[in-house]
Amino acid sequence: MVHSIDKMKKKQSLEIFKNLLKIRLTEEKISKEYAKQKMRCPVHLSIGQEAIAAPLKFLLSKKDIVVSGHRAHAHYIGKGCDIEKFIFELYLKEKGFARGKAGSMHLFDKKNGFYGSSPIVANAIPLGVGMGYFNKINKLNNVVLIFFGDGATEEGVFYESLNFAAVHSLKVIFICENNLYSVYSGLKFRQPKSRKIYKVSKSLRVSSIRADGNDIRHTTKTLLNTLNFVKRNSKPVFIEFSTFRFVEHCGPNEDDHLNYRKESEIKKWTKKDPLKKMYSFINARDKILLSKFKKKFNDRLNKIFLKAQKLSYPKSSVAYTNLYDEKN
Ligand SMILES: Cc1ncc(C[n+]2csc(CCOP(=O)(O)OP(=O)(O)O)c2C)c(N)n1
Ligand SMILES: [Mg+2]
């Protein structure tokens, strides 16, 4: 585990770079295969937002908890959860992590500390705060990271949860991935122009920061410093990462022809693509290592996807079994 950014070894940063690539390659493969109509659950891809999730596995222990919303693939992969069971689940096969009952928006991997994602906007926020409270009353030192979008900050439960976490001094990190849109609605149609999301949190007495969500160096440093602060001070913190999604809200394709986002805005963010950004500062040796990793990982993905398609679906007789299975 990485504890200090200054003492971070070259090998550790390369692993974080690999994780970013891993998320992108998995999402691109999902996007490519989706058109074949074999994966029948809705998907909300994280392409463009991966730099926020990529450091998770290396900064957190398995006992630290992550929860998320509908756009959760990156967080699941970033935390080091089981990719095979994830892809099987997207195909709704019985070997998926939820035996084919969950699909893309109810991700879960207890062994790796991923305690669920939920498609109801803002739903994971009180869930994560509840786990933070559980940790507190059981004197556990684990931290809970709650991921959500800018849209979730417009739900009432967001305010209640921040208030509760502040009052009870919970070791919870609220992470808002501000990609400027909630489906097709830009922030300017939803929130007063002068409002800054991270300042709302400050007014509720939860310390907050805003950082670049597309530069892996910034996301790693921000997450690590925040984790250390939360553990040391037993207080919640709110992080607003600025970022942008590169494909449609739900589904595998681009939707720029719909014109809800200006061409100039898309161009600006394309230049800030987290993968391109990462390649702009890594050295030649790391580039070679990453290209070898890319080939190997793509081969692995191809095998997983082929295997997933051949697996069997769950029988209808088990539709109502294991719905609340503790052992799952
Ligand atoms: C309570 C609730 N309201 C509305 C929806 C429909 N919905 C699904 S995703 C979404 C957009 C959320 O935007 P944001 O929180 O910014 O996340 P992003 O999709 O940008 O990652 C909406 C409105 C929902 N799932 N749940
Ligand atoms: Mg959004």
Side-chain angles (χ1 to χ4, degrees), residues 2 4-14:
V2 178
S4 152
I5 204 86
D6 305 319
K7 290 184 194 149
M8 195 161 131
K9 298 190 182 87
K10 273 210 152 319
K11 209 172 142 198
Q12 289 171 319
S13 44
L14 181 65

Side-chain angles (χ1 to χ4, degrees), residues 149-151 177-183 190:
D150 43 296
E177 297 184 335
N178 183 1
N179 62 10
L180 307 167
Y181 287 84
S182 169
V183 193
R190 298 159 24 220

